[in-house]
Amino acid sequence: MEHRDWTDGHVARWLPVLPHLDPDVEAAVTRMKLVTKYLRRFRENSLVDFDLQRHEFDTLHALAGRHGRAVPSQLADDLGLAPPSVTARVDALVARGFVRRTPSATDRRRIDIELTEDGRAAWLGAMDILGHEEYRLLGTLSADERRTLSDLLRRIMLAAEQPPTP
């Protein structure tokens, strides 16, 4: 017999209430939400070990994703924030020694935000813990299953990125 998880009981409770409920859709959506919630909670707990708040980690992550150097407007775009919010984040990270402001090599009027070694170390440490947990969870699947899951989720995201049809 296949193992049952919390979602199996959830779907079983709702089927009599909503007889037209597609149990596979309900189960898939519920499991995606629960996995996301689990990983978010795991990330929050792992950040404590590095004395990082979520917004600090997110900012370091965005900066690392730009090879450790970006202009504030790029960070604002990456984080979906208004530029003044990024300025406040950068100020706090500068104070902690995780980033520094440096003159742009290409435009004298511009200031770049650069990840410091301490910032990179804090980001990598948190990423390492989170990455291990992601691999632990997805490691229950074979390489082919992981690829299939990724492909299926891509199809779902492509549909989500399109405006709903009336």
Side-chain angles (χ1 to χ4, degrees):
M1 179 177 149
E2 193 171 315
H3 294 287
R4 293 177 52 84
D5 66 2
W6 181 89
T7 300
D8 293 317
H10 166 81
V11 171
R13 281 189 305 279
W14 279 102
L15 278 174
V17 176
L18 299 169
H20 298 296
L21 179 72
D22 182 325
D24 293 325
V25 170
E26 180 66 17
V29 169
T30 300
R31 286 185 178 107
M32 284 188 286
K33 287 192 296 189
L34 290 173
V35 167
T36 299
K37 182 179 176 181
Y38 171 81
L39 287 172
R40 185 176 295 122
R41 189 173 48 244
F42 186 90
R43 179 178 73 166
E44 299 296 326
N45 290 337
S46 70
L47 294 180
V48 169
D49 296 337
F50 294 92
D51 191 28
L52 284 173
Q53 295 179 30
R54 183 182 55 82
H55 67 274
E56 292 173 319
F57 173 81
D58 291 345
T59 305
L60 295 174
H61 187 71
L63 192 54
R66 291 193 172 268
H67 305 284
R69 191 177 188 101
V71 296
S73 61
Q74 291 171 321
L75 290 177
D77 287 344
D78 292 348
L79 295 166
L81 295 173
S85 297
V86 170
T87 300
R89 285 186 181 198
V90 169
D91 288 345
L93 291 170
V94 166
R96 294 194 64 189
F98 288 159
V99 302
R100 66 179 152 259
R101 290 181 171 92
T102 59
S104 170
T106 59
D107 184 344
R108 293 182 337 174
R109 299 167 296 170
R110 193 175 79 188
I111 296 294
D112 290 343
I113 309 305
E114 187 176 1
L115 199 56
T116 64
E117 287 304 315
D118 286 346
R120 183 175 303 283
W123 171 73
L124 280 174
M127 282 294 294
D128 188 48
I129 290 172
L130 183 57
H132 280 297
E133 186 61 9
E134 291 170 348
Y135 281 106
R136 184 186 76 82
L137 296 180
L138 292 173
T140 62
L141 305 175
S142 70
D144 287 341
E145 289 170 328
R146 288 191 302 270
R147 189 171 304 107
T148 298
L149 176 62
S150 180
D151 291 342
L152 293 170
L153 290 171
R154 179 184 303 108
R155 285 174 46 195
I156 292 167
M157 284 308 305
L158 287 170
E161 291 170 355
Q162 295 300 313
T165 54

